[in-house]
Amino acid sequence: MTEPEVASSDATNIQCRIERQGNDYVINGRKWWSSGAGDPRCKVYIVMGKTDPDNSSRHKQQSMILVPSDAPGIKILRALHVFGFDDAPHGHMEVELKNVRVPASSILLGEGRGFEIAQGRLGPGRIHHCMRLIGQAEVALEKMCRRATERVAFGRPVADQGVTRERIAEARIMIDSARFMVLHAAWKMDTVGNKIAKKEIAMIKVLAPNVALQVIDWAMQVHGGGGVSQDFGLAHAYAHARTLRFADGPDEVHRNAIAKMELGEQTSIAEALAKKRA
Ligand SMILES: Cc1cc2nc3c(=O)[nH]c(=O)nc-3n(C[C@H](O)[C@H](O)[C@H](O)COP(=O)(O)OP(=O)(O)OC[C@H]3O[C@@H](n4cnc5c(N)ncnc54)[C@H](O)[C@@H]3O)c2cc1C
């Protein structure tokens, strides 16, 4: 979905064009942060672009289409780095699509349904990110406790310092709070569906990366200089967790959505109470 030339947190900005020509679609555009496209096992791309840029509904202009990774006209321009990590072989690629031709049957669901597909996929995708972040935070806390117990500074283990204990306790509270919110979101998705659970999904998508980042940051602090080195895995975990404050939707966009839903719910409650009183 994401393109270098436009703010892609707003998918209605997408510029990539998917045009029908006879029995084919022809695709022109440039994407970046195409995760996994660097892996030689990646044989198919799912590309989002506009089939009907003039449609009066901004959410019906986009479609998704399957494109073989070796189709003529596809060029991998480069692998983007995340704080210096290239995440090879998986990779996050910048990809040019120039007059790429695929059969018309490659369109997913039908023209104009790209937004609908994205909405359907992103909910489950987001909760999986959150689950992995809880795991990363848990590992960071484990490393923090181990290091704090073993490392002696100014005559006593770092774990004996009040500040370390405070952070260990806070980390445990934060991880478990996030875990229960993720469980609650998963339960809602299972019982009432992704659409109704969208507030819970948005809430954990903001909470989980921020919790993981704070816990990993404290773990790095306990490790001293080693914390930012390649030796303890914390720098890589931090870089990964940081990307999830904007990948699959920036915090701000999710907070806006949460506030909108909350305001809507509160207004409905106030209206229902006023009706009852009348
Ligand atoms: C490691 C990594 C992997 C990724 N993998 C993929 C992938 O596989 N496929 C894919 O399509 N994309 C992928 N992305 C891209 C990611 O989804 C986008 O970066 C994200 O959607 C934000 O789009 P953008 O970068 O264009 O930021 P922009 O849309 O330019 O936004 C920039 C900033 O503006 C602010 N902002 C935006 N909207 C609002 C608002 N409504 N209110 C307040 N502030 C706002 C936010 O602070 C936001 O971070 C990946 C990104 C990273 C870093």
Side-chain angles (χ1 to χ4, degrees):
M1 291 172 68
T2 309
E3 300 178 2
E5 299 305 329
V6 292
S8 300
S9 51
D10 175 0
T12 63
N13 282 339
I14 279 176
Q15 285 181 341
C16 176
R17 285 287 277 124
I18 304 174
E19 286 170 277
R20 184 80 190 240
Q21 285 183 13
N23 290 330
D24 297 334
Y25 280 103
V26 176
I27 306 155
N28 279 287
R30 183 183 285 228
K31 300 287 178 183
W32 73 345
W33 294 113
S34 301
S35 294
D39 194 314
R41 291 169 302 169
C42 175
K43 301 295 180 204
V44 182
Y45 302 153
I46 303 173
V47 178
M48 185 145 158
K50 285 195 176 170
T51 35
D52 186 7
D54 300 321
N55 194 303
S56 56
S57 166
R58 292 192 314 141
H59 298 109
K60 296 222 164 104
Q61 298 173 348
Q62 304 80 3
S63 304
M64 285 200 190
I65 196 156
L66 296 176
V67 180
S69 57
D70 58 358
I74 289 182
K75 198 168 166 190
I76 302 268
L77 300 174
R78 60 177 174 149
L80 294 154
H81 293 181
V82 176
F83 292 107
F85 295 103
D86 64 7
D87 290 343
H90 177 77
H92 312 284
M93 315 313 268
E94 185 163 350
V95 185
E96 181 188 71
L97 300 109
K98 211 171 178 180
N99 295 321
V100 177
R101 192 171 280 272
V102 292
S105 58
S106 310
I107 203 100
L108 291 174
L109 280 190
E111 280 195 22
R113 300 186 67 180
F115 226 89
E116 186 188 329
I117 299 171
Q119 291 304 326
R121 187 210 72 86
L122 285 171
R126 284 172 183 143
I127 196 166
H128 283 122
H129 280 312
C130 294
M131 292 170 182
R132 285 189 285 266
L133 286 160
I134 304 282
Q136 276 195 321
E138 196 67 65
V139 168
L141 177 57
E142 195 184 309
K143 288 180 180 172
M144 178 176 171
C145 292
R146 195 182 317 133
R147 182 74 166 185
T149 311
E150 289 165 3
R151 201 77 163 172
V152 175
F154 299 96
R156 51 188 171 147
V158 177
D160 282 358
Q161 301 286 353
V163 65
T164 310
R165 289 175 175 236
E166 184 83 7
R167 287 174 182 168
I168 288 170
E170 201 55 35
R172 170 51 63 211
I173 293 166
M174 287 166 69
I175 294 171
D176 282 3
S177 309
R179 176 181 284 114
F180 287 123
M181 277 188 69
V182 171
L183 269 173
H184 180 241
W187 172 76
K188 273 202 92 167
M189 288 170 82
D190 282 347
T191 51
V192 292
N194 304 349
K195 257 193 182 157
I196 299 177
K198 63 183 179 207
K199 188 165 92 171
E200 284 72 20
I201 297 171
M203 289 195 291
I204 56 166
K205 178 58 183 50
V206 175
L207 182 71
N210 284 290
V211 163
L213 280 169
Q214 181 59 77
V215 175
I216 297 165
D217 182 80
W218 283 331
M220 289 198 293
Q221 196 68 15
V222 159
H223 283 74
V228 292
S229 75
Q230 67 274 43
D231 286 356
F232 297 96
L234 292 166
H236 189 241
Y238 190 89
H240 174 254
R242 184 63 185 83
T243 66
L244 286 164
R245 286 196 55 214
F246 36 72
D248 273 8
D251 289 2
E252 294 88 343
V253 173
H254 289 298
R255 283 202 170 94
N256 279 341
I258 296 162
K260 207 168 141 192
M261 286 183 263
E262 189 65 28
L263 285 164
E265 283 166 27
Q266 297 286 349
T267 310
S268 315
I269 293 169
E271 279 169 3
L273 285 174
K275 222 177 190 179
K276 212 173 168 192
R277 267 190 237 111

